[in-house]
Amino acid sequence: MKYPDTKLPKVGTTIFTLMSKLAAEKGAINLSQGFPDFDGPEALRERVGHYIARGANQYSPMTGAPGLRQAIADKVKYHYGAEICPEQEVTVTSGASEAIFAAITAVVSAGDEVIVFDPAYDCYEPAIELSGGRAVHLQLQPPAFSIDWQQLTAAISDRTRMIILNSPHNPTGAVLSAEDLDRLAALLADSDILLLGDEVYEHIVFDGAPHQSLLRHPQLRGRSFVVSSFGKTYHTTGWKVGYCCAPPQLSAELRKVHQYLTFCTTTPMQLALADYMAQDPEYGDHLPGFYQQKRDLFCQLMAHSRFRFTPATGTYFQLMDYSAISDLPDTEFCQWLVDSAGVAAIPVSVFCETPPQSRLVRFCFAKDDATLRAAAEKLCQL
Ligand SMILES: Cc1ncc(COP(=O)(O)O)c(C=O)c1O
């Protein structure tokens, strides 16, 4: 038989899978894939065990456990001052990945354009292409990786259906400011362009800055899918529980996709998260300090290396320029790094349509201090 042509010719196995596999094979310290090497809160994990033992093992409601949707609405009010309806505006999903796929698929049609900013997280474009749309790639401008507003204004056309914003930004660690949101609101005021806010690192913003969620902004909120991930917030990436907040009309469309994509998400995790959030509503206030200590430790240790960097302003990633160490392109450099230093990183070019001129790699510092010290010691010898 003749198998069909691939619908995603540009897609192979992701670099995250490849680098984690290489790191495991070579016994390297894995600062590549974005997951913590420590556990989430014990009380939260125990609550999952409690619910499994108590028989909470069947499907949850399609839109998410009611208690968790209420906890999300309470959290949005607490952090961003926005009143959202847990019944109509909150949908619990199988990780932020599912929310992103469902949001794009729900509203992007053949011929639509979706603006993404490079370096861009890798799951946006496949969803756009499977919907028959086209990703229009704009470059974030180094060194601060900010939006070029002239370029964005010029890129908007009557085919633009959506703009995807990721703040705090993976892989650069950049964050959007309140002025950015005001500027965006002014730019979009007379249009029907939708926004997808990928805010999975919403609680990892440093140096006392508040996270500028699209949910804070009254004009932008009405046109936005805002996506987050409990995996990032509670150090439980393997649970794959996330959510999407969107106005009722957009949530209704997202749910049409979600109900056939996964229908619902793991029940005991949802119930445990709801309890834990109610018990510790200020948890998100403590996370920036926790990760800032790790960023500062990693940056202090790496100050003795030949890597050059500006400390990240958000996320648990740190970009580093290796041009003083090697002329290799970044993917080859990352392979060399595993062999020569025993440390795995992610090349930034995999997040870009056009390979960048700069020589940058991404390190994940969501690791125990001992892991960061061991990695930095190796990297400082290069
Ligand atoms: C920017 C960004 N968006 C979305 C996701 C996916 O989150 P989840 O694991 O909850 O699906 C990640 C995970 O690394 C991410 O970094």
Side-chain angles (χ1 to χ4, degrees), residues 35-347:
F35 61 85
D37 68 350
F38 42 85
D39 252 332
E42 194 178 345
L44 172 61
R45 289 181 282 125
E46 279 177 5
R47 217 60 202 144
V48 173
H50 162 85
Y51 279 115
I52 289 176
R54 247 193 50 186
N57 298 308
Q58 308 309 329
Y59 297 127
S60 79
M62 182 272 280
T63 55
L68 183 55
R69 279 186 283 116
Q70 183 63 57
I72 293 166
D74 292 346
K75 176 192 120 128
V76 165
K77 174 102 173 82
Y78 175 75
H79 286 287
Y80 309 126
E83 299 270 3
I84 57 171
C85 168
E87 277 80 44
Q88 293 189 294
E89 297 184 88
V90 180
T91 309
V92 180
T93 57
S94 296
S97 307
E98 196 226 341
I100 291 167
F101 190 89
I104 294 172
T105 316
V107 298
V108 174
S109 305
D112 285 347
E113 291 180 353
V114 179
I115 294 177
V116 299
F117 293 96
D118 282 3
Y121 186 62
D122 64 347
C123 78
Y124 311 140
E125 188 155 6
I128 298 165
E129 292 195 339
L130 288 174
S131 302
R134 186 172 81 85
V136 175
H137 292 261
L138 303 183
Q139 311 299 317
L140 290 173
Q141 300 302 309
F145 292 96
S146 44
I147 292 175
D148 178 333
W149 292 97
Q150 266 186 337
Q151 205 184 60
L152 176 59
T153 309
I156 290 175
S157 76
D158 51 12
R159 287 189 299 277
T160 309
R161 163 65 69 198
M162 177 185 261
I163 300 173
I164 301 182
L165 295 162
N166 171 212
S167 178
H169 184 256
N170 176 9
T172 67
V175 298
L176 289 175
S177 65
E179 295 74 52
D180 287 326
L181 297 194
D182 286 342
R183 223 164 157 168
L184 188 64
L187 183 64
L188 301 183
D190 298 323
S191 80
D192 296 325
I193 295 171
L194 301 172
L195 297 173
L196 171 54
D198 178 348
E199 301 187 3
V200 299
Y201 301 102
E202 62 178 324
H203 299 302
I204 315 181
V205 181
F206 303 131
D207 307 314
H211 167 55
Q212 295 300 339
S213 174
L214 295 176
L215 292 166
R216 267 187 207 279
H217 202 286
Q219 282 101 46
L220 295 180
R221 213 182 103 191
R223 58 172 83 232
S224 300
F225 294 96
V226 179
V227 169
S228 192
S229 169
F230 292 114
K232 307 295 179 185
T233 301
Y234 293 101
H235 320 311
T236 53
T237 58
W239 291 6
K240 295 297 289 188
V241 187
Y243 62 90
C244 179
C245 301
Q249 300 86 336
L250 295 181
S251 289
E253 293 308 309
L254 174 125
R255 289 170 177 183
K256 288 181 188 174
V257 180
H258 164 72
Q259 75 177 341
Y260 294 115
L261 197 51
T262 56
F263 184 73
C264 67
T265 298
T266 45
T267 302
M269 271 77 173
Q270 290 192 62
L271 298 177
L273 282 162
D275 289 355
Y276 194 76
M277 287 171 80
Q279 178 196 316
D280 188 2
E282 290 164 20
Y283 175 92
D285 292 336
H286 306 301
L287 211 54
F290 173 79
Y291 274 119
Q292 187 164 325
Q293 177 272 331
K294 294 201 175 290
R295 177 200 66 171
D296 291 347
L297 173 67
F298 189 53
C299 288
Q300 275 158 22
L301 295 166
M302 290 296 284
H304 305 290
S305 76
R306 290 200 290 154
F307 288 88
R308 293 286 157 262
F309 55 90
T310 311
T313 50
T315 75
Y316 46 52
F317 301 114
Q318 179 63 54
L319 281 195
M320 295 212 173
D321 180 314
Y322 62 87
S323 50
I325 299 170
S326 168
D327 289 333
L328 287 173
D330 62 1
T331 302
E332 288 165 44
F333 177 75
C334 285
Q335 272 150 9
W336 176 86
L337 200 61
V338 170
D339 289 330
S340 315
V343 178
I346 293 288

